[in-house]
Amino acid sequence: MVQKYQSPVRVYKHPFELIMAAYERRFPTCPLIPMFVASDTVSEYKSEDGAIHVIERRCKLDIDAPRLLKKIAGVDYVYFVQKNSLNRRERTLHIEAYNETFSNRVIINEHCSYTVHPDNEDWTCFEQSASLDIKSFFGFESTVEKIAMKQYTSNIKKGKEIIEYYLKQLEEEGITFVPRWTPPVACKSESSTSHPRRPVSPAINIPESATKEGLSNKEILNTSSSPSEPTAGTPDDKLDADYIKRYLGDLTPMQESCLIRLRQWLQETHKGKIPKDEHILRFLRARDFNIDKAREILCQSLTWRKQHQVDYILDTWNPPQVLQDYYAGGWHHHDKDGRPLYVLRLGQMDTKGLVRALGEEALLRYVLSINEEGLRRCEENTKVFGRPISSWTCLVDLEGLNMRHLWRPGVKALLRIIEVVEANYPETLGRLLILRAPRVFPVLWTLVSPFIDDNTRKKFLIYAGNDYQGPGGLLDYIDKEIIPDFLGGECMCEVPEGGLVPKSLYRTAEELENEDIKLWTETIYQSASVFKGAPHEVLIQIVDASSVITWDFDVCKGDIVFNIFHSKRAPQPPKKDSLGAHSITSPGGNNVQLIDKVWQLGRDYSMVESPLICKEGESVQGSHVTRWPGFYILQWKFHSMPACATTNLPRVDDVLASLQVSSHKCKVMYYTEVIGSEDFRGSMTSLESSHSGFSQLSAATTSSSQSHSSSMISRWRFC
């Protein structure tokens, strides 16, 4: 397996020329890097005007590896070749390095660059990326990989320290300024008369990622001394080290790399509609920074959020009055770490009454709204306290808990809520304080603990009776001034006291079932399965010509071809494919075929748009201005051509492997709407009218439009 590393952008608040003077002092050897024994110049080139300096060195490294391994390998030292290409005119240094020793067994490549900060020409930016591919190594592949990653991580940490060490050394020698390169006098006079073309720099092999994401965009770095709220979202965005420390916390170099790589993958596949960095980081932490596993659960969560419009729940859903009166929970200041504090008086809550009066789905939606509010409060507290706060503390008071709370439908609802929250809000619970646990609590804990993630369980602190008042109790985590009054504190807590829900508010099982269905089918999106030989088709009848058909769909699995047809006569009643039971979601997943097998293209129906091939993961929005009345058919058809991998990271097919579906099946989630021509003002208006949106977790959204005949289509990657 290829191991990769991508650094954040590290900023030196010194001019490029001074940084270069410090950098050159690392050679021929550097005492701060003990493994760097020596280096010899292999070749060197300098342009006549002194602007270009290319030097290639052979570096000798003493790797800290077991003596036995060195003996088996038959080497004491490892040699690398490093090529530095300095362009003083452009003020850039590009560094390439690769291993010479064991190059047929191990492939190591490193790319580094020093460039001028896009917003401050007196600052310098540094970026670094590397890859390690061990083909074979005498059966010690895993050991060599661990040694290499450990040594490399150690050197990464020293990188900035080394430059700062030599900067200090220069300062002690009285060197605090190095003039910029200027053309020789002869070149100046010549250029003033003949204006010749500027000298061309020698070709420099720059990695594709560095070219694609060059530091030319002045909006990509947030490096002011008091950074404002970061705005993530454009594909060219990069993370700088200061921003990570301020808003995301202290991460190891490899953790930074995982965040940057997953974020980059999302930018490439979502075209700007990506979650905020702290949300991505939560999923990485939940899977111990395993990118593949984190990407899998993150993609599934983003699909879930979009389908159920979770992003808008705080703005569009008002909790029923029963919840406001009898749900004994609410937000209450913050703990000593600055985390928002949520208080839940579970022992005083009539869980049976709430389930009987509202149903399981309404309770779930209310808990989701609490979690969404928690995310908002974390962002606010991050600004208030000036340090990263990405989780909240929950205080659960169990006084009054009894066998009534173990009512089976109530426990079932609780388990469902835990399952959904664990899947979509990982690492949001910083600490759970369970107070006044009664004797019945072990029974409840036995039921729910298997559904709670191991990392989450480690955050639980359980106190029986009044133990929370002693050493190691509540005062260790919450300031005395905000301890709720019902726990013996002096702070009035506005959390509802709960109590029994009146039976007059109970509803029948049929009413609750209908309400549950309504809650989770309110999504404007429908889902469908597309099979090889069985497309999914949607019929739209147009009465007035020049109407506008708009669409918004996501290709969640496989590649499809999107077509639009017109027919003067209505198709036969739709046939639902029996395989539709394998749809992506339980409500609404289907496969409908409208075009009869005996129909002939050009005689019974016509194609009004060129076919549009949509790759797995794309999100497509667009519109078509109708020319004639009649029946229009939107068709999603299986595309058998394999999608080319545009990234070294696994495809979304791997990400959604847990669905365990046939390779001849695609999945789409779509929404369509017909707008009168007088109400249509362009493709973005059509998107707004269809409530197309991705997430409040995304701070910015960008789009690109592509014209197809009379159609306006903007394409985004999604899953």
Side-chain angles (χ1 to χ4, degrees), residues 415-641:
L415 295 179
R416 170 102 187 283
I417 289 170
I418 291 174
E419 182 181 15
V420 172
V421 171
E422 281 282 304
N424 298 286
Y425 300 92
E427 295 298 312
T428 53
L429 182 65
R431 184 180 294 116
L432 180 64
L433 302 170
I434 299 176
L435 310 183
R436 302 197 279 195
R439 291 183 178 181
V440 73
F441 173 71
V443 180
L444 180 62
W445 178 249
T446 301
L447 292 172
V448 302
S449 60
F451 295 87
I452 300 174
D453 182 77
D454 289 340
N455 289 335
T456 303
R457 281 205 295 266
K458 294 175 183 177
K459 303 169 185 176
F460 283 37
L461 295 172
I462 303 172
Y463 301 90
N466 294 322
D467 291 349
Y468 69 92
Q469 297 177 344
L474 209 53
L475 285 174
D476 285 10
Y477 307 103
I478 301 175
D479 289 326
K480 181 180 179 180
E481 294 78 18
I482 63 171
I483 292 180
D485 52 342
F486 62 85
L487 292 175
E490 300 177 357
C491 185
M492 292 298 296
C493 185
E494 299 179 358
V495 172
E497 294 183 0
L500 294 176
V501 178
K503 291 187 177 180
S504 60
L505 298 178
Y506 285 13
R507 302 166 71 184
T508 65
E510 184 177 347
E511 288 175 329
L512 291 175
E513 183 178 355
N514 292 335
E515 181 67 19
D516 288 351
I517 292 174
K518 178 184 176 183
L519 280 172
W520 288 109
T521 55
E522 283 179 351
T523 171
I524 61 174
Y525 294 92
Q526 300 183 56
S527 57
S529 300
V530 178
F531 303 93
K532 196 169 186 178
H536 178 70
E537 296 163 341
V538 173
L539 179 66
I540 298 176
Q541 184 175 2
I542 297 296
V543 177
D544 299 323
S546 298
S547 296
V548 181
I549 302 173
T550 67
W551 57 83
D552 176 1
F553 66 86
D554 298 296
V555 186
C556 296
K557 180 176 177 14
D559 301 336
I560 60 103
V561 179
F562 179 62
N563 290 303
I564 307 177
F565 302 105
H566 172 264
S567 176
K568 294 181 179 179
R569 60 191 177 107
Q572 295 296 319
K575 298 179 294 182
K576 284 198 174 185
D577 194 290
S578 60
L579 295 174
H582 301 288
S583 59
I584 190 171
T585 56
S586 52
N590 55 48
N591 177 272
V592 178
Q593 298 167 44
L594 298 167
I595 300 177
D596 198 291
K597 299 292 185 184
V598 299
W599 278 23
Q600 292 185 11
L601 185 63
R603 184 191 70 183
D604 301 291
Y605 65 108
S606 59
M607 182 179 293
V608 296
E609 291 283 355
S610 300
L612 181 66
I613 298 176
C614 305
K615 300 295 184 181
E616 181 180 275
E618 283 189 344
S619 183
V620 180
Q621 297 86 18
S623 56
H624 172 80
V625 180
T626 61
R627 298 180 182 178
W628 317 279
F631 300 91
Y632 287 80
I633 300 173
L634 306 186
Q635 181 192 74
W636 291 268
K637 184 179 180 181
F638 183 90
H639 182 58
S640 57
M641 292 294 291

Side-chain angles (χ1 to χ4, degrees), residues 286-545:
R287 292 298 178 266
D288 295 324
F289 287 87
N290 183 308
I291 290 184
D292 295 336
K293 293 180 179 179
R295 181 173 51 247
E296 177 181 344
I297 60 174
L298 177 57
C299 284
Q300 291 174 351
S301 177
L302 295 180
T303 303
W304 170 83
R305 294 184 68 89
K306 183 172 184 179
Q307 182 177 10
H308 297 302
Q309 301 289 284
V310 177
D311 300 315
Y312 309 107
I313 194 170
L314 292 178
D315 301 321
T316 61
W317 186 70
N318 294 318
Q321 191 62 42
V322 178
L323 277 172
Q324 298 180 41
D325 294 339
Y326 295 99
Y327 190 91
W331 294 99
H332 181 74
H333 301 284
H334 56 80
D335 68 5
K336 287 187 174 182
D337 295 323
R339 296 189 184 105
L341 177 63
Y342 189 83
V343 175
L344 179 64
R345 303 186 67 180
L346 184 60
Q348 303 299 314
M349 195 159 61
D350 181 9
T351 54
K352 179 177 181 179
L354 289 173
V355 172
R356 291 290 299 274
L358 297 168
E360 182 180 316
E361 300 299 335
L363 277 176
L364 172 58
R365 179 163 289 201
Y366 189 57
V367 173
L368 296 183
S369 70
I370 293 171
N371 280 270
E372 291 297 304
E373 176 64 23
L375 295 177
R376 285 189 181 183
R377 287 175 178 262
C378 285
E379 290 185 28
E380 293 172 0
N381 285 18
T382 295
K383 299 174 187 175
V384 171
F385 292 99
R387 60 178 182 271
I389 295 173
S390 60
S391 60
W392 52 82
T393 292
C394 185
L395 187 156
V396 181
D397 179 23
L398 295 184
E399 185 180 55
L401 189 77
N402 53 45
M403 293 303 295
R404 179 182 176 86
H405 292 87
L406 300 181
W407 180 58
R408 186 169 181 178
V411 174
K412 175 177 173 288
L414 177 61
L415 295 179
R416 170 102 187 283
I417 289 170
I418 291 174
E419 182 181 15
V420 172
V421 171
E422 281 282 304
N424 298 286
Y425 300 92
E427 295 298 312
T428 53
L429 182 65
R431 184 180 294 116
L432 180 64
L433 302 170
I434 299 176
L435 310 183
R436 302 197 279 195
R439 291 183 178 181
V440 73
F441 173 71
V443 180
L444 180 62
W445 178 249
T446 301
L447 292 172
V448 302
S449 60
F451 295 87
I452 300 174
D453 182 77
D454 289 340
N455 289 335
T456 303
R457 281 205 295 266
K458 294 175 183 177
K459 303 169 185 176
F460 283 37
L461 295 172
I462 303 172
Y463 301 90
N466 294 322
D467 291 349
Y468 69 92
Q469 297 177 344
L474 209 53
L475 285 174
D476 285 10
Y477 307 103
I478 301 175
D479 289 326
K480 181 180 179 180
E481 294 78 18
I482 63 171
I483 292 180
D485 52 342
F486 62 85
L487 292 175
E490 300 177 357
C491 185
M492 292 298 296
C493 185
E494 299 179 358
V495 172
E497 294 183 0
L500 294 176
V501 178
K503 291 187 177 180
S504 60
L505 298 178
Y506 285 13
R507 302 166 71 184
T508 65
E510 184 177 347
E511 288 175 329
L512 291 175
E513 183 178 355
N514 292 335
E515 181 67 19
D516 288 351
I517 292 174
K518 178 184 176 183
L519 280 172
W520 288 109
T521 55
E522 283 179 351
T523 171
I524 61 174
Y525 294 92
Q526 300 183 56
S527 57
S529 300
V530 178
F531 303 93
K532 196 169 186 178
H536 178 70
E537 296 163 341
V538 173
L539 179 66
I540 298 176
Q541 184 175 2
I542 297 296
V543 177
D544 299 323

Side-chain angles (χ1 to χ4, degrees), residues 34 60 110 117 119 121-122 126 132 146 172 185 256 306 348 390 535 538-539 545-546 562 578 612 628 656:
K60 182 179 179 181
E110 182 184 49
H117 192 290
D119 293 332
E121 63 179 13
D122 290 328
F126 172 75
L132 168 67
K146 290 179 181 178
E172 291 172 351
V185 177
E256 289 177 340
K306 183 172 184 179
Q348 303 299 314
S390 60
V538 173
L539 179 66
S546 298
F562 179 62
S578 60
L612 181 66
W628 317 279
L656 300 178

Side-chain angles (χ1 to χ4, degrees), residues 38-150:
S39 63
D40 300 315
T41 300
V42 176
S43 64
E44 188 171 6
Y45 163 81
K46 292 183 179 180
S47 61
E48 293 183 3
D49 59 4
I52 306 299
H53 184 194
V54 180
I55 184 169
E56 189 170 308
R57 297 183 176 94
R58 188 168 183 260
C59 303
K60 182 179 179 181
L61 306 181
D62 184 8
I63 302 296
D64 183 14
R67 183 65 189 171
L68 176 61
L69 184 60
K70 287 185 176 182
K71 189 173 182 180
I72 293 174
V75 297
D76 289 323
Y77 300 100
V78 174
Y79 290 89
F80 276 73
V81 175
Q82 184 189 74
K83 179 181 178 182
N84 292 359
S85 302
L86 173 64
N87 187 325
R88 294 189 175 92
R89 178 186 295 108
E90 302 295 337
R91 303 179 77 196
T92 62
L93 172 66
H94 293 285
I95 305 167
E96 299 174 25
Y98 61 89
N99 63 304
E100 183 181 86
T101 308
F102 300 119
S103 58
N104 60 332
R105 295 179 177 274
V106 180
I107 301 174
I108 301 174
N109 288 297
E110 182 184 49
H111 303 276
C112 306
S113 65
Y114 287 89
T115 55
V116 177
H117 192 290
D119 293 332
N120 190 330
E121 63 179 13
D122 290 328
W123 289 359
T124 306
C125 297
F126 172 75
E127 279 190 273
Q128 182 177 9
S129 63
S131 63
L132 168 67
D133 185 8
I134 301 178
K135 304 293 185 182
S136 64
F137 204 86
F138 313 106
F140 291 93
E141 292 80 12
S142 178
T143 302
V144 171
E145 180 179 294
K146 290 179 181 178
I147 292 174
M149 296 303 293
K150 180 180 178 181

